[in-house]
Amino acid sequence: MNREETPREGQVWEGWLTGNSALLEEINASVRFDHRLAQQDLDGSVAHARMLAGSGVISSAESELIVSGLERIRGEIEAGEFTFDPALEDVHMNVEARLRELIGPVAGRLHTARSRNDQVAVDARLWVRDAIGRLDALLGRVIDVIAERAEVHHADVMPGFTHLQCAQPVTIGHHLLAYGEMFLRDRDRLRCARLRLDESPLGAAALAGTGYPIDPYDTARRLGFGGVTRNSLDAVSDRDFVLDYLSAGATLAVHISRLGEEMVIWSTPQFGFIALPEDLCAGSSIMPQKRNPDLPELMRAKSGRIFGDLMALLTVMKGLPLAYSRDMQEDKEALFDAADNLEVGVRAAEAMLRGITFRPEKTRADAALGNTVATDVADWLVAGQGLPFREAHSVVAGLVKWLGVQGRELKDSSPAELGDFDARLRPMPPEVLTVENAVARRTSPGGTSPELVRKAAVELRGRNAESN
């Protein structure tokens, strides 16, 4: 047997299988990405070592030696002094190999009553839990910015659109608060995902549990879990908690993308609703006048990657028999990629919402374009002249067409002039034709009345605080 065929010292299956081929090592090794689980792996190992001692499986002295070694490794990793070796496959074996170098054979006691299957499951749950906490905190900041800006612009009128066509006037604050509701629901989805992952799988071992007298409730408590998993097969084969996070993240990415799209549109000269902050824009290599909205464009584009990460893991998991299969190693890169892009997307949303400057004079002028008070005229015919709404709708539709033939809109007309089309319009109060009246009269719950918007901004801030 040549040297390449000799098992490396300390290989996890030393004595059973001969050496790995280079191809197997290349495709099998995950440490290039799962090293990001190092802190969680150390936390899980410390909890496991202390539980083993408390259960009498190993001695207290052995446990303390193991824990001291693990904490020394933690310090090396935090200082950037730890070298992750791809030949050792994954983060777990890298930590175990270094622990053996530091404390000798007693390091082997750590893996008693534990498999890499339940080890990676608890590491991943801890990592996702931390990721949820980070993302949730970032979302809380975004919602506060939305509430703040909505309160400032609670009475500033802008066009409301359906089909991206002029529909009815709303206020800038009302429009912003729609995103506040979306992001608050995103926080709720993350909390639900956090609740469902709140069980420790440690103790499931490879798939069937263990014969050692362990106390999985002890490790769960030490790691901050509310309970333990109830089935050892499910414990090691479940990645629902990753899918929950990615699914919530995909919905969040939709909301970030929609906000980014509107910022791109609103910043064009044709719309001119906002001015973008210069420090968040990029220039052109050839056109010196350009201020390109790169940040909101990337807010929009990142959603595609996050959707792809969710689909990748759904596809990996869809046909796996119980319990663990190596396919599940493919969850990490999708998870890490989605988490990174979600966090930068939310940070970008906060920066844009803080940095943009609204142009209320432009939004107010555009709010009157496209006969946006037509519904208000129809409503006045119902209330002031007693017409059924369908008849009033038909009258105003004809009115708008009549004005269009003359190259005019409702904003260019007076009630007396409209009376030439239909005499029932002549006594209509002139304010019915103003966008300010249109927003002020919409006082139904959730409506765009400035006073309601101001109150809704305050309430959003309070509901957001309750979510912390």
Side-chain angles (χ1 to χ4, degrees):
M1 183 181 291
N2 61 37
R3 192 172 188 275
E4 286 72 21
E5 294 172 331
T6 304
R8 286 185 299 273
E9 181 182 357
Q11 195 174 59
V12 66
W13 42 74
E14 182 178 351
W16 165 235
L17 297 176
T18 56
N20 296 340
S21 74
L23 176 59
L24 179 61
E25 184 174 294
E26 178 183 352
I27 198 171
N28 210 27
S30 60
V31 73
R32 64 182 173 81
F33 51 85
D34 72 10
H35 67 86
R36 294 182 62 169
L37 297 173
Q39 295 298 333
Q40 289 76 21
D41 194 65
L42 290 165
D43 291 340
S45 291
V46 167
H48 186 67
R50 294 202 184 282
M51 180 277 296
L52 290 177
S55 301
V57 177
I58 65 176
S59 70
S60 295
E62 289 171 328
S63 174
E64 290 306 314
L65 185 59
I66 289 170
V67 169
S68 67
L70 292 170
E71 293 301 340
R72 180 171 171 185
I73 293 170
R74 191 191 303 275
E76 292 175 351
I77 292 172
E78 290 174 349
E81 299 169 354
F82 189 94
T83 300
F84 290 97
D85 183 1
L88 293 172
E89 282 193 23
D90 55 32
V91 63
H92 321 296
M93 297 312 300
N94 270 265
V95 168
E96 187 172 325
R98 178 58 177 153
L99 185 63
R100 184 184 308 175
E101 291 175 356
L102 292 174
I103 68 172
V106 73
R109 298 277 191 185
L110 174 61
H111 210 56
T112 307
R114 186 177 72 170
S115 165
R116 281 194 296 179
N117 294 355
D118 62 341
Q119 184 179 2
V120 70
V122 78
D123 291 0
R125 283 178 184 256
L126 290 170
W127 199 95
V128 172
R129 188 176 71 185
D130 291 343
I132 287 173
R134 292 193 303 270
L135 189 58
D136 185 55
L138 289 171
L139 274 172
R141 291 171 51 179
V142 171
I143 295 169
D144 278 342
V145 175
I146 288 172
E148 176 186 322
R149 302 223 63 180
E151 199 167 6
V152 170
H153 294 288
H154 72 281
D156 289 326
V157 183
M158 70 171 288
F161 300 94
T162 60
H163 308 276
L164 203 55
Q165 303 295 315
C166 297
Q168 294 177 336
V170 294
T171 69
I172 292 171
H174 191 60
H175 197 111
L176 289 173
L177 288 175
Y179 285 101
E181 296 297 327
M182 295 180 211
F183 291 139
L184 202 58
R185 290 195 299 272
D186 290 320
R187 293 195 71 185
D188 184 62
R189 289 185 188 93
L190 289 171
R191 285 197 305 274
C192 289
R194 169 69 175 80
L195 182 65
R196 281 193 291 273
L197 69 73
D198 196 26
E199 296 176 338
S200 171
L202 271 181
L207 76 162
T210 178
Y212 290 96
I214 63 168
D215 183 0
Y217 292 95
D218 181 77
T219 48
R221 178 182 57 78
R222 292 178 186 277
L223 294 172
F225 287 108
V228 299
T229 52
R230 294 168 179 82
N231 183 282
S232 59
L233 286 167
D234 179 57
V236 298
S237 63
D238 168 49
R239 291 299 182 269
D240 287 3
F241 60 94
V242 182
L243 290 170
D244 281 348
Y245 173 75
L246 294 179
S247 179
T251 304
L252 167 58
V254 170
H255 300 154
I256 295 171
S257 180
R258 295 181 75 177
L259 177 61
E261 169 75 357
E262 295 210 299
M263 289 181 175
V264 170
I265 293 173
W266 290 352
S267 66
T268 62
Q270 289 74 18
F271 270 73
F273 289 179
I274 60 173
L276 297 174
E278 287 191 14
D279 62 333
L280 298 179
C281 293
S284 165
S285 63
I286 188 172
M287 295 169 284
Q289 86 282 7
K290 293 296 295 295
R291 183 188 292 189
N292 293 330
D294 285 32
L295 196 64
E297 286 175 344
L298 289 169
M299 287 165 55
R300 189 175 58 188
K302 293 290 186 183
S303 60
R305 285 183 65 168
I306 294 160
F307 300 162
D309 291 328
L310 172 60
M311 286 306 303
L313 185 55
L314 285 168
T315 306
V316 166
M317 297 300 298
K318 72 175 182 63
L320 295 185
L322 297 180
Y324 180 84
S325 297
R326 197 55 178 262
D327 310 51
M328 294 163 67
Q329 174 176 294
E330 294 300 310
D331 67 342
K332 307 300 182 303
E333 288 181 285
L335 169 61
F336 298 150
D337 181 72
D340 290 346
N341 284 287
L342 282 166
E343 289 176 28
V344 75
V346 176
R347 287 167 47 218
E350 180 188 1
M352 290 303 299
L353 286 164
R354 288 189 187 279
I356 59 175
T357 301
F358 285 97
R359 292 171 170 161
E361 68 289 345
K362 180 64 164 62
T363 62
R364 193 271 174 215
D366 281 14
L369 296 176
N371 299 293
T372 55
V373 297
T375 304
D376 300 272
V377 175
D379 286 345
W380 182 85
L381 285 172
V382 171
Q385 298 289 8
L387 273 68
F389 181 78
R390 283 303 176 198
E391 182 180 347
H393 183 285
S394 178
V395 169
V396 177
L399 172 64
V400 168
K401 188 171 183 178
W402 178 73
L403 288 170
V405 171
Q406 304 170 53
R408 297 162 55 202
E409 291 190 357
L410 289 170
K411 67 181 180 63
D412 308 311
S413 309
S414 68
E417 292 169 328
L418 300 182
D420 293 339
F421 174 80
D422 190 311
R424 290 172 293 186
L425 293 167
R426 192 164 281 113
M428 182 175 64
E431 62 266 21
V432 173
L433 298 173
T434 67
V435 293
E436 286 77 13
N437 175 75
V439 296
R441 63 183 291 268
R442 283 174 167 79
T443 56
S444 58
T448 193
S449 158
E451 184 59 25
L452 285 182
V453 171
R454 187 189 61 78
K455 291 178 179 177
V458 174
E459 290 171 1
L460 177 66
R461 188 181 292 111
R463 289 158 58 207
N464 190 41
E466 290 173 1
S467 297
N468 291 333

